[in-house]
Amino acid sequence: MKNIDSYSHVRGESVYLDDIPVIRGTLYACVFDSPVAHGGLKSIDTSAAEQSDGVVCVITAKDLVGENQIGGVVPDEPLLAEGEVHFQGQPVAIVVAESDDQARKAAKLVTAEIEPLTPVTDPRVAAANGELIVPPKKFVLGDVTAAFARCEYVFEGRVELNGQEHLYIETQGAYAIPTEQGGIRVHSSTQGPTAVQRAVCRVTGLPMHKVEVDVQRLGGGFGGKEDQGNAWASIVSVAAQLTKRPVKYSLHRMEDMRMTGKRHPYSSDYKIGLDRDLKIIAYEAVFYQNAGASCDLSPAVLERTLFHCTNSYFIPNVTATAYSCRTNLPPNTAFRGFGGPQGMFVIEAAIAHAAENLGVTAAEIQRRNLLVDGDEFPYGQLAESDAAASWQQADEKFPLTRLQQEADEFNAGSKYFKKGVAVMPICFGISFTNTPMNQARSLVHVYTDGSVAVSTAAVEMGQGVNTKMAQVAATIFGMDIGNVKVHSTNTLRIANTSPTAASAAADLNGRATQIACETIRDRLFTVAKDLVEAATVEDLSLKDGFVYRSGERTALSWRALVAEAHLRRVSLSEHSHYATPGINFDWATAKGHPFSYHVYGTAFVGVTVDCLRGRYVVDYVKGCHDFGNSMNKAVDYGQIEGGIVQGLGWMTMEELVYDAEGRLRSNALSTYKVPDIHSVPKEIDIVPLADARSSLAIFNSKAVGEPPLMYGIAGYFAIRNAIRAFNGSSPTFDCPFTPEKVLMNLYSDDRPMSDE
Ligand code: MTE
Ligand code: HPA
Ligand code: MOS
């Protein structure tokens, strides 16, 4: 079944923030942001901007009615800089004008006197200076010290992982409209309507019931709008409060790239120990997370790095320590995988390191250490594991020895093109690791004409969650999906929402919608039982717009049933709540059962490297993925393909460059390269895991939003293997593997090319 948005998307009729008709009298905001990454803010001169054409006012920290604070986890993030500036791009003043052009022009006229301070961009330097966002976090299983003493082989190394720009097609933005009695309605491009509502309330001083946040859909979020929609919504709300007029701001691409946080770069150390049979018996990892200038979601991201630090492997002795380090970069934030990929890369690097030294393939070590049922994760949860099953099914369909042999044969006959193959098994925990966030609500109305309106906390951002919500209602009411309309995500209809994140939106909101629809259906059945003279309600079912009795269609249509129920004063509406059962986590012991279930899969990635130029192509990504009982194959395969390409982009070509002064140099699409149609794999062939275990998710489906991104990690190792086929070297683990870095590694040892 198609995504229900596909028709309006291709016709350009879907409504994003910038498509909302603008109300007469709307003003436009633009921020003046810090030109330097660190300094003492001595004074701000707004006089020239104030006199500029069309300018209504210029707002600085001292003008705010509420608090100058939007930090959700730790209160360390002023909306507008005060006293000091902490990153290049930090908002300092808001210029409000009659037109967008006038606001942008005037913002350039604001000046600030800033006394330079030394910026820190390296997380290890920040940690050495004691600049931690929160105290370090640690997972311990078994006893690594004793285990290392027993190991046959021990390897140590270091890994550098760069960040990643979200590059949602729709930039950040918001539109605030004053409502009566001092309220505000905010249209926001956010994954977290309630996070926006809280931030707006804080800076305006308004109670939550006076602030309505509405989200129609996003042109992509990828985690970048889980928390970071808050600033822009707060900026327009503050301006609307002070001017009593609607105020809008949508960022230009370069403003967005400069001012918003990204995937966290990490610098990490590992130590891995194996026994004679290549069983990993000890693993130690230390993660330095580059959090940027304020907390944002960094501690939660850091925690997920620890949760996924052993990926799909059982390792009986583990110590993993993680530091969230405050630097002078924009506050880094959620990005598809939420710290998991950074943890998983490091164990894969450690395995590759061991394999290269032991003269075996990494796949040999990977395969021998896959989790099985009952294995304990470092955080105490026991695996119900399909790790080996996905590996076996991938191997049956696409025999790895054959793929490796093809590459070896090709390499034997080719001097300047080399192929590399790598395997990436994944294991991704589903649930917010912060247990209280695992709840959702759904509001379902059946109207007297039989049509159905659904509202949930889920935000549609291209991942197809609205299609899945409509499918839930249509399935339970036995009707065509065209009779169901999924409405905008709105804090008046659904309060206290968790963000659409952690891949769990369909799971949580789908279950809430299921409960609401079943409650209404059961009420209708008590009416129908009378009308069709059924013995019990259990005899009744709904299909194709009719009531069925004992499997036989009756003359009673859905529409007639609904109309009659209304006449009998039976409620046709329901607001339902769902909370994932059975999950818990205690940071005092760092143990618990944080995940409802895990998603497993295994992918084989093959690449060809041009060893004269350093360029490469990804030939294939083949494998087996646990979709559960997919609710919508078209949507889920879209998530698989998009996730893989985004993961490959992070690993191979997307290179964030901050200079020593903390300024983003890769600040536009001319300098920041993302995958295009030419860089997607030539073939993506992912088969569903047969006999997948059941899950608590809606209709036995499984979360699919984030896990496939991590297959992209094999892209890095496949390129590495191709380089090794060329020169036998072991490149340092430094991502992304841009063509430039590949070229340097092809000729790193200054060895002259033979026979030239
Ligand atoms: N797919 C599209 N097209 N656009 C997005 O912004 N975000 C990803 C993923 N897939 C995203 C996407 C992220 S980071 C998450 S957490 C999930 O979708 C969230 O949606 P879900 O919970 O409905 O899977
Ligand atoms: N995933 C995504 N977003 C989150 C999480 C998580 O585990 N916890 C808090 N926000
Ligand atoms: Mo996704 S990083 O959990 O928004």
Side-chain angles (χ1 to χ4, degrees):
M1 204 200 115
K2 273 194 211 139
N3 185 320
I4 53 173
D5 283 342
S6 49
Y7 183 79
S8 62
H9 277 4
V10 295
R11 292 171 64 94
E13 290 171 355
S14 298
V15 173
Y16 299 87
L17 183 79
D18 245 358
D19 301 306
I20 296 170
V22 167
I23 295 172
R24 183 150 40 91
T26 292
L27 299 172
Y28 293 81
C30 182
V31 305
F32 163 72
D33 58 298
S34 174
V36 300
H38 196 193
L41 181 57
K42 295 294 154 206
S43 63
I44 309 168
D45 185 354
T46 59
S47 53
E50 275 158 4
Q51 277 143 35
S52 182
D53 273 357
V55 170
V56 173
C57 64
V58 180
I59 300 163
T60 59
K62 63 178 188 336
D63 303 314
L64 302 187
V65 175
E67 233 187 303
N68 182 25
Q69 185 52 247
I70 57 167
V73 177
V74 172
D76 66 350
E77 189 176 354
L79 178 66
L80 298 171
E82 216 174 352
E84 276 195 6
V85 289
H86 295 286
F87 64 93
Q88 186 216 9
Q90 183 177 357
V92 176
I94 311 166
V95 176
V96 187
E98 297 287 346
S99 78
D100 193 33
D101 279 353
Q102 288 169 332
R104 286 204 149 77
K105 207 174 275 171
K108 294 204 174 73
L109 302 176
V110 179
T111 56
E113 193 194 332
I114 300 172
E115 201 170 76
L117 292 168
T118 313
V120 173
T121 58
D122 179 337
R124 291 187 191 245
V125 172
N129 294 343
E131 285 290 342
L132 298 183
I133 301 267
V134 288
K137 304 201 179 244
K138 193 180 229 159
F139 277 179
V140 178
L141 180 68
D143 177 350
V144 277
T145 314
F148 274 121
R150 292 199 312 271
C151 287
E152 190 80 12
Y153 315 107
V154 176
F155 303 97
E156 287 183 67
R158 178 166 167 162
V159 171
E160 302 298 339
L161 288 168
N162 205 334
Q164 186 175 22
E165 162 63 40
H166 299 87
L167 218 93
Y168 23 65
I169 301 280
E170 181 196 30
T171 54
Q172 304 266 3
Y175 183 21
I177 300 161
T179 54
E180 65 173 21
Q181 295 169 1
I184 302 178
R185 179 186 314 126
V186 191
H187 297 278
S188 166
S189 182
T190 179
Q191 295 171 235
T194 296
V196 160
Q197 188 186 17
R198 287 200 189 103
V200 167
C201 288
R202 205 153 169 193
V203 295
T204 57
L206 290 171
M208 285 173 83
H209 69 215
K210 286 197 171 176
V211 173
E212 171 188 356
V213 179
D214 188 85
V215 187
Q216 182 66 59
R217 67 162 62 64
L218 314 186
F222 305 109
K225 297 169 181 171
E226 181 174 339
D227 218 39
Q228 298 218 348
N230 300 3
W232 321 106
S234 299
I235 282 167
V236 292
S237 297
V238 160
Q241 182 182 36
L242 294 173
T243 61
K244 298 191 163 54
R245 286 171 65 176
V247 181
K248 185 177 164 182
Y249 188 17
S250 27
L251 272 62
H252 284 185
R253 180 63 64 188
M254 284 175 78
E255 293 174 333
D256 191 305
M257 291 181 82
R258 181 174 77 237
M259 299 199 277
T260 67
K262 305 173 196 319
R263 183 189 292 286
H264 294 79
Y266 275 62
S267 181
S268 311
D269 299 314
Y270 63 81
K271 182 173 174 187
I272 189 169
L274 302 92
D275 70 9
R276 213 179 305 246
D277 302 324
L278 303 183
K279 283 270 189 199
I280 306 170
I281 56 174
Y283 181 60
E284 201 167 44
V286 183
F287 300 99
Y288 297 91
Q289 177 197 53
N290 193 332
S294 55
C295 175
D296 192 89
L297 298 166
S298 296
V301 173
L302 190 78
E303 289 163 11
R304 206 175 257 280
T305 300
L306 290 178
F307 282 111
H308 294 84
C309 73
T310 52
N311 191 18
S312 305
Y313 311 110
F314 173 61
I315 308 178
N317 302 285
V318 178
T319 297
T321 315
Y323 299 92
S324 182
C325 312
R326 193 185 298 277
T327 62
N328 296 108
L329 301 187
N332 286 316
T333 193
F335 195 135
R336 207 170 193 172
F338 204 74
Q342 290 96 321
M344 287 155 73
F345 185 94
V346 176
I347 182 80
E348 294 303 329
I351 290 173
H353 182 169
E356 289 166 15
N357 279 268
L358 297 174
V360 298
T361 61
E364 194 53 39
I365 300 180
Q366 290 171 314
R367 192 179 52 78
R368 287 186 197 214
N369 289 281
L370 292 172
L371 288 156
V372 300
D373 270 4
D375 281 343
E376 186 177 350
F377 288 101
Y379 46 92
Q381 185 162 341
L382 301 185
E384 289 176 354
S385 177
D386 281 321
S390 75
W391 182 295
Q392 276 153 17
Q393 289 177 31
D395 198 26
E396 270 158 34
K397 180 86 204 254
F398 315 103
L400 182 58
T401 44
R402 208 184 62 211
L403 297 175
Q404 188 61 59
Q405 200 182 335
E406 277 167 17
D408 294 344
E409 281 167 11
F410 176 91
N411 291 345
S414 166
K415 191 162 172 196
Y416 292 121
F417 285 86
K418 295 289 183 190
K419 287 190 186 289
V421 181
V423 187
M424 185 67 195
I426 61 162
C427 165
F428 196 77
I430 302 302
S431 288
F432 288 94
T433 56
N434 180 10
T435 304
M437 293 175 81
N438 295 285
Q439 54 173 310
R441 279 158 293 280
S442 176
L443 176 65
V444 177
H445 294 312
V446 177
Y447 292 94
T448 48
D449 67 354
S451 66
V452 175
V454 176
S455 297
T456 73
V459 169
E460 175 59 55
M461 47 187 180
Q463 88 282 36
V465 71
N466 280 2
T467 303
K468 291 182 176 178
M469 295 307 99
Q471 283 181 265
V472 172
T475 305
I476 293 167
F477 291 145
M479 60 175 52
D480 188 89
I481 198 161
N483 285 338
V484 182
K485 169 72 186 153
V486 181
H487 284 272
S488 67
T489 316
N490 183 295
T491 55
L492 295 186
R493 271 175 272 122
I494 304 293
N496 310 319
T497 61
S498 289
T500 290
S503 304
D507 285 20
L508 295 169
N509 295 283
R511 287 302 291 264
T513 302
Q514 178 186 19
I515 295 166
C517 293
E518 286 176 351
T519 306
I520 295 171
R521 182 198 59 192
D522 291 350
R523 257 185 238 137
L524 290 171
F525 276 171
T526 60
V527 178
K529 179 171 164 281
D530 255 17
L531 297 176
V532 302
E533 293 170 353
T536 66
V537 289
E538 281 76 39
D539 286 348
L540 299 174
S541 57
L542 294 168
K543 217 170 97 185
D544 309 328
F546 279 86
V547 174
Y548 280 61
R549 185 187 48 219
S550 310
E552 299 276 324
R553 179 162 157 170
T554 69
L556 180 61
S557 69
W558 162 261
R559 201 169 160 156
L561 171 61
V562 163
E564 179 60 24
H566 182 65
L567 292 178
R568 295 189 186 192
R569 297 185 292 171
V570 171
S571 168
L572 300 177
S573 297
E574 189 66 18
H575 182 270
S576 282
H577 172 82
Y578 175 75
T580 314
I583 51 172
N584 61 75
F585 196 75
D586 179 6
W587 270 105
T589 54
K591 299 281 177 201
H593 190 105
F595 299 120
S596 180
Y597 59 95
H598 291 85
V599 167
Y600 292 94
T602 302
F604 305 146
V605 176
V607 303
T608 305
V609 174
D610 172 344
C611 299
L612 278 179
R613 298 171 184 83
R615 298 191 314 198
Y616 43 76
V617 290
V618 179
D619 297 322
Y620 57 81
V621 178
K622 305 178 187 198
C624 173
H625 181 83
D626 181 6
F627 292 92
N629 183 10
S630 171
M631 274 191 74
N632 189 313
K633 292 210 171 69
V635 165
D636 287 358
Y637 272 100
Q639 289 293 295
I640 289 271
E641 290 171 8
I644 287 172
V645 172
Q646 201 164 35
L648 287 168
W650 174 49
M651 284 282 100
T652 65
M653 64 177 72
E654 298 184 37
E655 190 173 34
L656 287 173
V657 179
Y658 287 96
D659 63 20
E661 277 74 53
R663 276 191 299 249
L664 181 66
R665 307 308 297 259
S666 51
N667 63 351
L669 292 184
S670 53
T671 44
Y672 185 79
K673 176 84 182 98
V674 288
D676 58 17
I677 194 66
H678 304 289
S679 40
V680 304
K682 286 195 268 181
E683 182 189 358
I684 295 182
D685 193 351
I686 301 290
V687 297
L689 184 76
D691 308 317
R693 288 166 208 242
S694 61
S695 74
L696 282 169
I698 177 74
F699 297 161
N700 247 325
S701 64
K702 282 198 176 137
V704 71
E706 293 167 285
L709 179 133
M710 283 148 269
Y711 294 135
I713 290 174
Y716 173 89
F717 290 97
I719 292 173
R720 184 181 170 90
N721 287 339
I723 295 173
R724 288 176 57 72
F726 182 72
N727 65 11
S729 71
S730 285
T732 52
F733 296 107
D734 181 8
C735 295
F737 234 151
T738 56
E740 183 185 2
K741 277 193 216 156
V742 170
L743 192 66
M744 304 293 258
N745 277 293
L746 286 164
Y747 299 102
S748 57
D749 58 359
D750 294 326
R751 195 169 41 199
M753 284 187 273
S754 56
D755 72 284
E756 272 88 356

